[in-house]
Amino acid sequence: MGSELARFESMYRETYGQITAYAARRCHSPQDAADVVAETFAIAWRRMGEVPDGEQATLWLYGVARKVLANHYRVEVRRQSLNVELDTEMADLYQAAPDSGVELTAIAQIFRALPDTDRELLSLVAWEGLDRQQIASVLGMSRNAVRIRLHRARRRFARALAEADVHFTSAGRLTPAEGHL
């Protein structure tokens, strides 16, 4: 274990800059690059027995980083696709008629601007179709806490929509399409 640790530390010191530069040139943000580098070296640590010696170790790390980047891109594309689906569902929940002038992009922007906790609650209702008790189980809180937080999240979302001059009917209240909470 000691020799593997020393070998890993040596490889890390020698290649960190190269792998970081490789990731930074291919990622859209420094945070994404940092995630790719961290995952690359985590894989290297787990698979130290497979890491070749010398310059081959650097090339091996580039190969690992390449695969981590591919996974990162796949996840990002899937996340963006799910965001588009959620944005569409959110607009459907507000029953915006095509001629109502409500733009889906405005709703999507407002939704994305909400605090993470509000987006999570509203998504669990609208997208996952969960009721208060189910949400309470998912989030590890009481049903009453979910009720209060969901009420506040809906109110903040409605206020943000109103401030952006996006109007909706009371029938379009944020509830699952199949039923009410």
Side-chain angles (χ1 to χ4, degrees):
M1 177 74 174
S3 66
E4 273 192 4
L5 178 59
R7 184 169 171 243
F8 177 81
E9 288 174 347
S10 173
M11 178 184 67
Y12 182 85
R13 278 191 305 277
E14 292 171 12
T15 62
Y16 178 80
Q18 293 169 293
I19 300 303
T20 300
Y22 176 85
R25 286 188 292 270
R26 288 160 177 79
C27 289
H28 298 293
S29 73
Q31 295 84 3
D32 289 345
D35 289 345
V36 168
V37 171
E39 180 65 19
T40 299
F41 282 105
I43 291 169
W45 172 249
R46 285 192 306 269
R47 297 175 59 191
M48 266 318 281
E50 300 173 34
V51 178
D53 293 323
E55 185 179 314
Q56 293 299 313
T58 305
L59 300 177
W60 186 88
L61 284 169
Y62 278 131
V64 171
R66 183 177 170 274
K67 290 174 185 169
V68 170
L69 277 164
N71 286 336
H72 175 76
Y73 290 138
R74 273 193 297 276
V75 167
E76 184 64 24
V77 166
R78 183 169 187 273
R79 186 187 64 75
Q80 288 175 357
S81 171
L82 292 173
N83 277 344
V84 168
E85 288 177 34
L86 178 60
D87 293 346
T88 301
E89 287 186 35
M90 295 297 285
D92 288 346
L93 289 172
Y94 279 92
Q95 301 174 352
D99 60 347
S100 70
V102 176
E103 293 188 26
L104 295 179
T105 54
I107 293 172
Q109 288 173 343
I110 292 166
F111 182 75
R112 281 193 293 272
L114 291 172
D116 290 342
T117 54
D118 286 359
R119 281 197 321 269
E120 178 68 15
L121 279 169
L122 297 173
S123 297
L124 288 171
V125 170
W127 203 4
E128 307 304 330
L130 300 182
D131 64 26
R132 289 180 191 148
Q133 187 59 49
Q134 292 168 322
I135 294 170
S137 294
V138 168
L139 299 178
M141 58 179 60
S142 72
R143 185 177 186 276
N144 192 46
V146 169
R147 182 185 62 78
I148 292 167
R149 290 180 185 188
L150 187 57
H151 171 75
R152 291 175 181 164
R154 284 177 172 147
R155 193 173 62 210
R156 281 188 284 270
F157 190 34
R159 189 178 316 122
L161 288 169
E163 288 171 2
D165 203 29
V166 176
H167 300 285
F168 55 93
T169 65
S170 61
R173 208 176 120 209
L174 187 58
T175 57
E178 299 82 38
H180 297 282
L181 287 178

